[in-house]
Amino acid sequence: MDSLRPLLTSYAYNILGSYEDAKDVVQDVLLEMINRPDADIQNEKAYLTRSVINRAINARNKLQKMRSGYPGNWLPEPVATETADGDLNQRDILSYSLMVLLEKLDAKQRAVFILKVAFNYDHEEIAEVLDISVENSRKILTRARAILHNEPIKEVALTSVDYLDKYIDVIRSGDVKRLEQLLTNDVMVVSDGGGKVAAALNPLVGVESASAFLAGIYNKFYQGIQAEKGMVNHHPALFYYADGQLVTCQIFEWRNEKIHRVYFVRNPDKLAALSEDRKKWKNEKSETEK
């Protein structure tokens, strides 16, 4: 059963947008199966997949109800995709931009969309997993696509972490005009502090607003603290540390060699697992290089 944990956690995370909740869902399902040794389960993988996906949908519904009182913007919990985390299939983790986009869907729409588009399930398989009709599965997918109308739903092209060198050079120079030239016309900056740390309550849209914000907060908060480059959900990211503690994960989406979206994840609850994964990864890398 443990060999299925990475795949199951990937399913749950993509539906929930929360790594910590995804691990809890998978753990609960595995424990229930262990405690039912006499259960007549003929296909263990199919049973666990179905159980995890449906449990994740229920958890997602609860999460969405809780979010009504969430202060400011809510962003998915980021996952480092350059680390060798044993709890996840890294290749199955959706891009961060797609995870943000899927926040527009309800739990079942999101599950159907992910199973069809990301995991290549056919409607017969989706119907069996979710205990719905094939016709209903098709209708749910159609509604999901309509909600995402005119939005890019394909995975973004992989962008090298080296793209960050250009941003770092420009932001350190303090040249706002050069920064503006690095942004798309419809650039947007979104911050999530969860009401626990300082963060912009509203998205900053457009070159002028975004560049002024990015330059301003860098000069005020990030100029003198440690920053590391990495990958989060297949996007280049900067990790900022204060006194050895990860305080901000800044995630970038690039379009045509320009920055299209910048996401600041500052909620400490959403950085805890990311911080631990990066610590493990750096320790493993250090041991390998000895």
Side-chain angles (χ1 to χ4, degrees), residues 22-54:
K23 289 193 289 186
D24 289 343
V25 163
V26 173
Q27 185 66 13
D28 289 347
V29 169
L30 291 176
L31 284 175
E32 284 178 11
M33 188 166 180
I34 291 170
N35 292 329
R36 295 176 59 203
D38 300 327
D40 184 19
I41 300 170
Q42 297 185 2
N43 186 328
E44 187 177 275
K45 181 180 179 181
Y47 173 83
L48 289 171
T49 298
R50 177 182 176 130
S51 299
V52 164
I53 289 172
N54 282 284

Side-chain angles (χ1 to χ4, degrees), residues 147-218:
I147 291 168
L148 303 179
H149 185 57
N150 289 332
E151 297 279 5
I153 59 174
K154 292 183 179 179
E155 293 287 349
V156 296
L158 287 180
T159 306
S160 168
V161 71
D162 293 336
Y163 271 58
L164 288 176
D165 292 335
K166 189 186 296 185
Y167 172 78
I168 292 168
D169 177 58
V170 170
I171 201 75
R172 284 177 176 171
S173 74
D175 190 333
V176 176
K177 287 298 178 186
R178 281 180 64 202
L179 179 58
E180 289 177 352
Q181 292 168 7
L182 198 57
L183 309 177
T184 62
N185 290 333
D186 56 346
V187 63
M188 183 163 66
V189 180
V190 184
S191 304
D192 178 352
K196 299 186 176 185
V197 294
L201 291 177
N202 299 306
L204 287 302
V205 182
V207 172
E208 191 174 325
S209 296
S211 59
F213 178 79
L214 291 170
I217 62 165
Y218 176 78

